[in-house]
Amino acid sequence: MGISTINPATGETLKTFEPIADEAIEAKLALAQQAFNNYRHQPFEQRAIWMQKAADILERDREIFAQMMTLEMGKTLKSAIGEVEKCALVCRFYAKNAAQFMADVPATTDASSSFVRYQPLGAILAVMPWNFPFWQVFRFAAPTLMAGNVGLLKHASNVPQCALKIEAIFTEAGFPEGVFQTLLVGADKVADLIADDRVKAATLTGSEPAGESLAANAGKNLKKVVLELGGSDPFIVMSSADLPSALSTAVTSRMLNSGQTCVSAKRFILAEEIADEFIKGFVEKFEQLKIGDPMLPETDIGPLATPAILKELDNQVQACIKSGAKLLTGGRALSENAGNFYLPTILTDIPLDAAARQQEFFGPVALVFRVADIDEAIELANNTSFGLAATAWTTVSSEGDRFISELEAGAVFINGLVKSDPRLPFGGIKRSGYGRELSIQGIHEFVNIKTVWVK
């Protein structure tokens, strides 16, 4: 895949870029090391000033940045504006809290003084995806830079303008040269970057194969990684649930970013008593969604990011139907549009041996299941190789307690939409990855947790 901006709503190639040469990569790595040697000594107060300025720039030019995201990967303009605003929020969160998060933690021992000190590591490589081209980067960059590290970004090859603009934002904010750099390179360069002694650790958000590859290379070089990979999040609705709220949230969660979201509801597990009513409303709401130009304010669903993603999604849907599943709505590409549009789709009666039960559907496709009781709901929810997040809807406190304790996921939300929040750690278990982003846990992922003992 070349490094290009291709409008997914029209298929038009808007701009192409040449990958930087090996000499340029070397120069950027040298600059990162030089920048770190100085930047690590900057006080938190100064880093916070620069980070607050980055937030100011994001808010000032939110519509410009949002239009860039929409042109490069197809998300609706209104959701792109919200993404930029969320990036400003995470910048301000770490500008405010990093000094406290990184403060020495005293311990009582047999020493005169003993404590834990958090210190930055150096250059951290971020391999980031296209689906949230600003948010995924800023939720890495804000804690990483506030901790005193420097960042190297290898972004997805279909969002190069977003990648370059993010570097420009940090530069305009006043961060010293080399503290945050974008590397316009292909995936074939990641292994060499990981092997370089100047790169101290890495983080990746993306597919399972990409995570496996990065983790293998990092392991070979004894370097830490944080991985946020796929998800097939369950959305459980019990008979006591507030059905209108659950139904509205279900549609929002599955259609967020045209369904191209790791942490969103994908498997809808319904108590038998309310299943018919829920499914009826679910189908009606899916069929009312407006598909079209993502720049228009009335559009609910934009195109998928690339033709390959659309083809893979359709292959999954057709294979599921062929296995015996029932199609309730959708199930095909929107042929009258030139871009990568796929109809919102609902599948049910999925056979026990269907491959779809263990797959992630990265697009506007919902899988619906019926269960007899809470035991069956939990068993089905956990019957997946993924463990990113889970949602459960109930007004019975004992049921809520069981879901919190027994659902196998990095996050459990009761009666609400799963979302990432700078105040809470974010990440998964099982094949959804390991490590955490955001909150205090996120800033501590890429630091030396140093024990100090003095007598």
Side-chain angles (χ1 to χ4, degrees):
M1 182 178 179
I3 301 178
S4 303
T5 298
I6 301 173
N7 187 341
T10 64
E12 178 186 4
T13 299
L14 303 177
K15 197 168 185 178
T16 60
F17 299 80
E18 286 296 322
I20 62 174
D22 290 344
E23 295 80 5
I25 296 174
E26 168 58 32
K28 286 180 178 291
L29 287 169
L31 179 58
Q33 182 63 55
Q34 179 184 348
F36 173 67
N37 291 336
N38 296 315
Y39 179 70
R40 66 183 302 177
H41 301 298
Q42 289 286 351
F44 284 104
E45 294 79 7
Q46 180 58 68
R47 296 178 206 163
I49 290 171
W50 292 327
M51 193 61 71
Q52 291 280 16
K53 179 61 175 176
D56 293 341
I57 295 166
L58 286 162
E59 291 171 344
R60 181 195 72 197
D61 294 337
R62 57 170 67 87
E63 292 196 10
I64 296 172
F65 303 144
Q67 289 171 0
M68 183 179 295
M69 281 191 274
T70 298
L71 282 174
E72 288 208 300
M73 60 71 55
K75 69 171 67 241
T76 61
L77 182 62
K78 57 188 175 185
S79 67
I81 291 172
E83 181 172 334
V84 178
E85 292 171 341
K86 191 171 183 178
C87 292
L89 179 68
V90 77
C91 289
R92 297 199 193 282
F93 175 80
Y94 280 106
K96 178 181 178 181
N97 293 295
Q100 174 189 341
F101 290 163
M102 295 283 287
D104 291 348
V105 178
T108 301
T109 70
D110 57 340
S112 303
S113 171
S114 53
F115 55 91
V116 175
R117 175 161 292 177
Y118 302 104
Q119 294 181 305
L121 298 177
I124 312 299
L125 174 67
V127 182
M128 293 288 105
W130 46 263
N131 57 337
F132 291 92
F134 266 55
W135 170 242
Q136 304 279 15
V137 177
F138 276 92
R139 79 181 190 193
F140 148 77
T144 298
L145 300 191
M146 284 304 302
N149 295 303
V150 301
L152 295 167
L153 171 63
K154 186 273 179 246
H155 216 328
S157 294
N158 60 327
V159 290
Q161 294 189 67
C162 289
L164 292 169
K165 184 56 69 176
I166 292 169
E167 178 181 337
I169 290 169
F170 284 117
T171 299
E172 183 183 347
F175 284 92
E177 183 182 17
V179 168
F180 187 92
Q181 298 180 83
T182 286
L183 308 178
L184 286 187
V185 297
D188 60 315
K189 296 295 183 182
V190 171
D192 290 340
L193 289 167
I194 288 289
D196 194 287
D197 288 340
R198 291 164 291 190
V199 174
K200 303 304 182 184
T203 181
L204 177 143
T205 299
S207 67
E208 290 175 81
E212 291 171 355
S213 176
L214 184 81
N217 283 306
K220 186 166 60 177
N221 290 282
L222 294 178
K223 294 182 182 178
K224 183 176 182 179
V225 294
V226 170
L227 301 177
E228 195 267 277
L229 308 178
S232 186
D233 292 2
F235 188 105
I236 303 169
V237 185
M238 301 303 290
S239 59
S240 68
D242 177 344
L243 278 189
S245 294
L247 186 56
S248 176
T249 305
V251 176
T252 299
S253 181
R254 183 70 291 249
M255 293 299 116
L256 183 66
N257 213 27
S258 301
Q260 300 167 118
T261 310
C262 295
V263 60
S264 68
K266 297 185 175 78
R267 296 177 297 136
F268 297 83
I269 300 171
L270 313 176
E272 189 65 56
E273 297 92 329
I274 52 86
D276 288 341
E277 182 180 354
F278 187 97
I279 290 170
K280 180 183 177 183
F282 209 28
V283 172
E284 289 175 353
K285 288 182 178 293
F286 267 43
E287 293 178 345
Q288 291 167 1
L289 294 167
K290 290 186 176 295
I291 307 170
D293 184 350
M295 289 291 187
L296 299 178
E298 64 268 23
T299 297
D300 298 309
I301 306 292
L304 300 182
T306 69
I309 293 168
L310 184 145
K311 182 178 180 181
E312 180 181 359
L313 182 70
D314 188 55
N315 286 342
Q316 287 178 289
V317 170
Q318 303 314 320
C320 189
I321 295 171
K322 188 175 181 180
S323 74
K326 182 179 179 182
L327 176 68
L328 298 182
T329 189
R332 63 177 178 83
L334 195 61
S335 56
E336 55 264 37
N337 288 63
N340 312 318
F341 295 89
Y342 202 84
L343 287 171
T345 298
I346 299 175
L347 296 164
T348 190
D349 297 344
I350 301 160
L352 289 172
D353 59 351
R357 283 178 173 257
Q358 295 299 325
Q359 294 174 336
E360 178 181 28
F361 283 69
F362 215 62
V365 177
L367 310 183
V368 174
F369 304 86
R370 297 169 181 258
V371 292
D373 53 32
I374 188 172
D375 293 326
E376 189 178 348
I378 292 171
E379 181 181 8
L380 177 55
N382 290 338
N383 185 22
T384 175
S385 60
F386 297 108
L388 194 51
T391 315
W393 291 76
T394 178
T395 56
V396 178
S397 60
S398 60
E399 290 182 342
D401 290 341
R402 284 197 62 188
F403 288 130
I404 291 168
S405 297
E406 298 179 34
L407 289 175
E408 298 169 355
V412 175
F413 280 57
I414 305 297
N415 300 329
L417 177 72
V418 171
K419 57 186 177 181
S420 55
D421 183 323
R423 297 165 295 186
L424 294 168
F426 180 83
I429 61 173
K430 301 197 280 191
R431 292 191 66 80
S432 289
Y434 47 77
R436 291 295 180 266
E437 298 177 286
L438 302 177
S439 192
I440 187 172
Q441 289 82 6
I443 200 170
H444 287 167
E445 287 286 5
F446 297 123
V447 297
N448 175 20
I449 303 175
K450 180 183 286 186
T451 294
V452 180
W453 190 99
V454 180
K455 190 169 186 178

